[in-house]
Amino acid sequence: MNKGKILLVTGASSDVGAELIRNVGKNYEKVWAHYRSSAAIIEELRKQVGEQVTPVKADFSDLKSTEDFIESIRVSGDIPNHIVHLPAPKVHCLQFHKHTWDSYQLEIDTSLRSITMILQSFIPQMAKKKYGKIVFMLSAYLLGVPPKFQSQYITVKYALFGLMRNLAAEYASKGIMVNGVSPDMMETKFLSELPNLIKEQSAKNNPLGRNIYIQEVIPTIKYLLSSGSDAVTGQNIGITWGGR
């Protein structure tokens, strides 16, 4: 069942990335697990899931590091046909006029440039084999009126949404399904630099009175990687408990 199925998870050391690999890792012949600095998390995943979990390090804010990352996968010959893209810098709450361009550039490089380069390198082989699954981590902020004070994060999420939609249109005839998931605020370390008041307000606005749990997001990603989604592309699936 696993033969020929190769998964790349960018941001594999994140809470969502690690939980996803725990859930689906055994379904793959190989899992490329990208990390920037948290090698210990990836090593623990190898112990839990198996040796098919292969660490690959890169700092996506650095162009050369991103290029080396892509090249190391390319020369191995184990080109992924499933890709889940998760990375984003930790979110901050700051008025628009106080953001520097550097904060935008960091978000662009980490989240948008990285996946653009990765897909430009690997999608031609998916197209040649007429098979591929690509999943973008987006945001429920795309589904309604976004919150204040997160302009760079929301701007880049809209850019990723546009890329997802365009790739879905361009590659559907090649058997490549490209989709996004848009959870509401999740309880992860990604939120560690947000004020507690904002997290509490988000929980209050949720019909259940709490923020989304990681375990409530993973099944949707699993579905989009499964054969059950072979006719699903260009979709941005909200995971919000009806809160948006």
Side-chain angles (χ1 to χ4, degrees):
M1 181 178 77
N2 303 344
K3 187 67 175 176
K5 290 179 64 178
I6 299 174
L7 172 65
L8 166 61
V9 179
T10 57
S13 61
S14 67
D15 294 338
V16 175
E19 185 66 18
L20 176 65
I21 291 173
R22 290 187 197 101
N23 275 262
V24 305
K26 293 184 184 297
N27 298 336
Y28 289 90
E29 182 178 355
K30 188 163 195 171
V31 177
W32 291 107
H34 159 256
Y35 71 100
R36 182 177 63 88
S37 58
S38 303
I41 293 175
I42 306 301
E43 186 55 37
E44 184 61 28
L45 284 173
R46 280 176 61 86
K47 294 176 182 177
Q48 294 171 353
V49 177
E51 293 187 358
Q52 69 267 42
V53 176
T54 303
V56 56
K57 183 177 181 179
D59 178 356
F60 285 160
S61 69
D62 180 85
L63 178 61
K64 180 64 162 56
S65 182
T66 306
E67 291 172 336
D68 290 346
F69 165 86
I70 293 168
E71 182 65 8
S72 67
I73 294 176
R74 190 192 66 78
V75 299
S76 76
D78 293 326
I79 306 301
N81 44 35
H82 286 192
I83 297 176
V84 177
H85 184 59
L86 303 173
K90 285 186 177 180
V91 67
H92 296 83
C93 188
L94 195 65
Q95 289 175 294
F96 168 72
H97 69 275
K98 294 183 179 179
H99 280 290
T100 65
W101 175 252
D102 287 345
S103 69
Y104 280 87
Q105 194 66 60
L106 176 63
E107 195 86 41
I108 290 167
D109 293 344
T110 302
S111 299
L112 181 60
R113 182 181 68 184
S114 60
I115 191 59
T116 301
M117 293 174 63
I118 288 165
L119 292 177
Q120 286 180 331
S121 296
F122 299 148
I123 211 169
Q125 184 155 329
M126 293 185 198
K128 184 177 180 181
K129 295 185 177 181
K130 291 191 174 295
Y131 175 73
K133 303 271 189 174
I134 301 166
V135 182
F136 287 77
M137 177 61 75
L138 299 175
S139 170
Y141 294 163
L142 306 183
L143 303 177
V145 178
K148 302 174 183 178
F149 310 135
Q150 294 183 33
S151 59
Q152 87 284 8
Y153 174 77
I154 293 167
T155 297
V156 174
K157 287 299 185 183
Y158 268 102
L160 287 168
F161 174 67
L163 178 62
M164 180 275 286
R165 292 280 288 171
N166 188 259
L167 291 174
E170 184 170 346
Y171 287 97
S173 63
K174 301 294 186 181
I176 301 172
M177 304 295 104
V178 190
N179 294 284
V181 294
S182 281
D184 219 329
M185 188 176 285
M186 285 186 288
E187 292 292 342
T188 71
K189 60 191 176 187
F190 178 70
L191 304 179
S192 63
E193 296 182 21
L194 272 185
N196 286 333
L197 181 62
I198 292 178
K199 291 181 276 189
E200 291 166 3
Q201 186 62 47
S202 174
K204 182 179 178 181
N205 291 339
N206 189 296
L208 292 186
R210 62 168 174 79
N211 291 318
I212 298 290
Y213 296 152
I214 295 169
Q215 293 80 5
E216 293 166 336
V217 176
I218 298 301
T220 302
I221 301 176
K222 287 176 65 176
Y223 164 69
L224 292 173
L225 294 174
S226 74
S227 60
S229 67
D230 284 351
V232 178
T233 195
Q235 303 304 304
N236 179 26
I237 301 176
I239 305 171
T240 67
W241 280 108
R244 290 181 186 269

